[in-house]
Amino acid sequence: MAPAPLSPAAPGPDPGDRPVVLDRREGPYGEVVLRRHGDLLQIIANGCFLMDTSDGRSERLLVSAALDALDPSATARPGLLIGGLGVGFSLAEAAAEPRWGRIDVAEREPAVIDWHRTGPLGDLTRDALADPRTRLLATDLLAHLRRHPQHYDALCLDIDNGPDWTVTEDNEGLYAPEGLAVCRAALRPGGVLAVWSAQDSADFPRLLGNAGFTSVTTLEVPVVRGAPDVLFLASHHVASPIT
């Protein structure tokens, strides 16, 4: 488990600054808040900090590592599904890479979509959303895959805080065996599932193996404070369950 290389992160807010709420909504999955803290934009869900615009290294690496893990001979223009728009780092990374073919983004929270389309987060994703390869899907990722079975070369999931720390209760199903099976079924043979997590999960590699994924690896991305972000990369090949 090798740490990802460091790159400069955006400066944090002045300790004396107070966060300013820009929008607060009661959404279908609880309360969501967009606030500004100094130069940073922050998303809060059900009273829990989810993400901000301070860094984005691990969210970008989620997409670039998935592309690097694909077999380059499999397809010239791999299709990508990003689960969770967030503040837009993963989408911006994908749109900046000409090797991707179609880029679908599933985001089920209407407020987050609005903040990108007409709000302050649009500064991060305006060009990416205008890219003709990009399709923004206002839907839950698993619901989308169940209703519209299709195949992608890579699935990059940045939903909630990861397998072991979900703010919204029904997000737990995504990281459970049934949810992982849906993700695996949506991948072409040789495809890659990449999962972002705010912390390590000792049991998640085993769950990925039991769901039929192979070559499960992890990448650590150091952060300014606290435990490193963790990326799980798993390939879609026939494999025996990990016990």
Side-chain angles (χ1 to χ4, degrees), residues 3-4 25 29 40 54-55 74-76 82 94 110 117 120 124-125 131 135 138 153 156 166 178 194 209 214 218 237:
R25 302 190 197 182
Y29 307 99
L40 305 182
S54 65
D55 196 339
T75 177
I82 298 173
R117 283 182 168 160
L124 293 170
T125 54
D131 191 303
R135 182 173 62 153
D153 298 286
C156 292
T166 52
E178 181 182 358
T214 59
T218 60
H237 295 296

Coordinates of all heavy atoms in Angstrom, one line a residue, residues 3-4 25 29 40 54-55 74-76 82 94 110 117 120 124-125 131 135 138 153 156 166 178 194 209 214 218 237:
P3 N 1.9 5.2 -0.6 CA 1.3 6.5 -0.6 C 1.4 7.1 -1.9 O 2.4 7.0 -2.6 CB 2.1 7.3 0.5 CG 3.4 6.6 0.6 CD 3.2 5.2 0.2
A4 N 0.3 7.9 -2.3 CA 0.4 8.6 -3.6 C 1.3 9.8 -3.4 O 1.4 10.4 -2.3 CB -1.0 9.1 -4.0
R25 N -30.7 23.4 2.2 CA -31.9 22.8 1.7 C -32.2 21.5 2.4 O -31.3 20.7 2.8 CB -31.8 22.4 0.2 CG -31.5 23.7 -0.7 CD -31.7 23.3 -2.1 NE -31.0 24.3 -3.0 CZ -31.1 24.2 -4.3 NH1 -31.7 23.2 -4.9 NH2 -30.5 25.1 -5.0
Y29 N -32.7 13.2 0.9 CA -31.9 12.3 1.8 C -31.4 13.1 3.0 O -30.5 12.6 3.7 CB -30.7 11.8 1.0 CG -31.1 11.1 -0.3 CD1 -31.0 11.8 -1.5 CD2 -31.7 9.9 -0.4 CE1 -31.4 11.3 -2.7 CE2 -32.1 9.3 -1.5 CZ -31.9 10.0 -2.7 OH -32.4 9.4 -3.9
L40 N -12.6 28.8 0.5 CA -13.1 27.4 0.2 C -14.6 27.3 0.2 O -15.3 28.0 0.9 CB -12.6 26.5 1.3 CG -11.1 26.4 1.6 CD1 -10.8 25.4 2.7 CD2 -10.3 26.1 0.3
S54 N -10.5 22.4 -1.0 CA -9.2 22.8 -0.6 C -8.1 22.0 -1.3 O -7.0 22.4 -1.4 CB -9.0 22.6 0.9 OG -9.2 21.2 1.3
D55 N -8.4 20.7 -1.8 CA -7.4 19.9 -2.2 C -7.8 19.2 -3.5 O -7.5 19.7 -4.6 CB -7.1 18.8 -1.1 CG -5.8 18.1 -1.3 OD1 -5.3 18.1 -2.4 OD2 -5.2 17.6 -0.3
A74 N -7.7 -2.9 -24.8 CA -9.1 -3.3 -24.7 C -10.0 -2.4 -25.5 O -10.9 -2.8 -26.2 CB -9.5 -3.4 -23.2
T75 N -9.8 -1.1 -25.3 CA -10.7 -0.2 -26.1 C -9.9 1.2 -26.2 O -9.2 1.6 -25.3 CB -12.0 0.1 -25.3 OG1 -12.8 1.1 -26.0 CG2 -11.8 0.5 -23.9
A76 N -10.1 1.8 -27.3 CA -9.4 3.1 -27.5 C -10.0 4.2 -26.8 O -9.3 5.2 -26.5 CB -9.3 3.4 -29.0
I82 N -18.9 8.1 -13.2 CA -18.5 8.6 -11.9 C -19.7 8.6 -11.0 O -20.8 9.2 -11.4 CB -17.9 10.0 -12.1 CG1 -16.7 10.1 -13.0 CG2 -17.6 10.7 -10.7 CD1 -16.2 11.4 -13.3
A94 N -11.5 13.9 -15.3 CA -11.9 13.1 -16.5 C -12.0 13.9 -17.8 O -11.5 13.5 -18.8 CB -13.2 12.4 -16.2
P110 N -30.4 16.9 -5.8 CA -30.7 18.1 -6.7 C -29.9 19.3 -6.3 O -29.5 20.1 -7.2 CB -32.2 18.2 -6.5 CG -32.7 16.9 -6.1 CD -31.6 16.3 -5.2
R117 N -24.6 23.8 -11.8 CA -25.2 24.4 -13.0 C -25.3 25.9 -12.9 O -25.1 26.6 -13.9 CB -26.5 23.7 -13.3 CG -26.4 22.3 -13.9 CD -27.7 21.7 -14.2 NE -27.6 20.5 -15.0 CZ -28.5 19.6 -15.2 NH1 -29.7 19.7 -14.5 NH2 -28.3 18.5 -15.9
P120 N -22.0 28.6 -7.3 CA -20.6 28.9 -7.2 C -19.7 27.7 -7.6 O -18.5 27.9 -7.9 CB -20.4 29.3 -5.7 CG -21.6 28.9 -5.0 CD -22.7 28.8 -6.0
L124 N -15.7 25.4 -11.0 CA -14.9 24.2 -11.1 C -15.2 23.2 -12.2 O -14.4 22.5 -12.7 CB -14.9 23.4 -9.8 CG -14.4 24.1 -8.5 CD1 -14.7 23.4 -7.3 CD2 -12.8 24.2 -8.7
T125 N -16.5 23.3 -12.7 CA -17.0 22.2 -13.6 C -17.6 22.7 -14.9 O -18.1 21.9 -15.7 CB -18.0 21.3 -12.9 OG1 -19.0 22.1 -12.3 CG2 -17.3 20.5 -11.8
D131 N -18.4 19.7 -21.9 CA -17.8 18.8 -22.8 C -18.8 17.8 -23.4 O -19.7 17.3 -22.7 CB -16.8 18.0 -22.0 CG -15.8 17.1 -22.8 OD1 -16.3 16.3 -23.6 OD2 -14.6 17.3 -22.7
R135 N -22.3 13.5 -19.6 CA -23.7 13.4 -19.4 C -23.9 13.4 -17.9 O -23.5 12.5 -17.2 CB -24.3 12.1 -20.1 CG -25.8 12.0 -19.9 CD -26.3 10.8 -20.7 NE -25.8 9.6 -20.3 CZ -26.5 8.4 -20.4 NH1 -27.7 8.4 -21.0 NH2 -25.9 7.3 -20.0
A138 N -29.2 12.8 -13.1 CA -29.8 13.2 -11.8 C -30.5 12.0 -11.3 O -31.7 11.8 -11.3 CB -30.8 14.3 -12.0
D153 N -16.2 0.8 -18.9 CA -14.8 0.3 -18.7 C -14.3 0.7 -17.3 O -13.5 -0.1 -16.8 CB -13.9 0.9 -19.7 CG -14.3 0.5 -21.2 OD1 -14.1 -0.7 -21.5 OD2 -14.8 1.3 -21.9
C156 N -16.0 4.9 -11.1 CA -15.2 5.7 -10.1 C -16.2 6.2 -9.1 O -17.0 7.1 -9.4 CB -14.4 6.8 -10.7 SG -13.0 6.3 -11.7
T166 N -20.7 6.1 6.4 CA -21.7 6.8 5.5 C -22.6 7.7 6.4 O -23.0 7.4 7.4 CB -22.6 5.7 4.9 OG1 -23.1 4.8 5.8 CG2 -21.8 4.9 3.8
E178 N -24.6 -6.9 -2.5 CA -25.5 -6.7 -3.6 C -25.1 -5.5 -4.4 O -25.1 -5.5 -5.6 CB -26.9 -6.5 -3.1 CG -27.9 -6.4 -4.2 CD -29.3 -6.2 -3.7 OE1 -29.5 -6.2 -2.5 OE2 -30.2 -6.0 -4.5
A194 N -13.1 1.8 -9.1 CA -12.2 2.6 -8.2 C -13.1 3.2 -7.1 O -14.1 3.8 -7.5 CB -11.5 3.6 -8.9
G209 N -13.3 -8.9 -3.3 CA -12.9 -10.2 -3.8 C -14.1 -11.2 -3.8 O -14.3 -11.9 -4.8
T214 N -10.9 -8.9 -8.8 CA -9.5 -9.4 -8.6 C -8.5 -8.3 -8.6 O -8.9 -7.1 -8.9 CB -9.1 -10.4 -9.7 OG1 -9.2 -9.8 -11.0 CG2 -10.1 -11.6 -9.7
T218 N -4.8 -1.0 -3.0 CA -5.1 0.3 -2.3 C -4.0 1.3 -2.5 O -2.8 1.0 -2.6 CB -5.4 0.1 -0.8 OG1 -4.2 -0.4 -0.2 CG2 -6.5 -0.9 -0.5
H237 N -12.3 -9.5 -13.3 CA -11.9 -10.7 -13.9 C -12.5 -11.9 -13.1 O -12.9 -11.7 -11.9 CB -10.4 -10.9 -13.9 CG -9.7 -9.8 -14.8 ND1 -9.9 -9.7 -16.1 CD2 -8.8 -8.9 -14.4 CE1 -9.1 -8.8 -16.6 NE2 -8.5 -8.2 -15.6

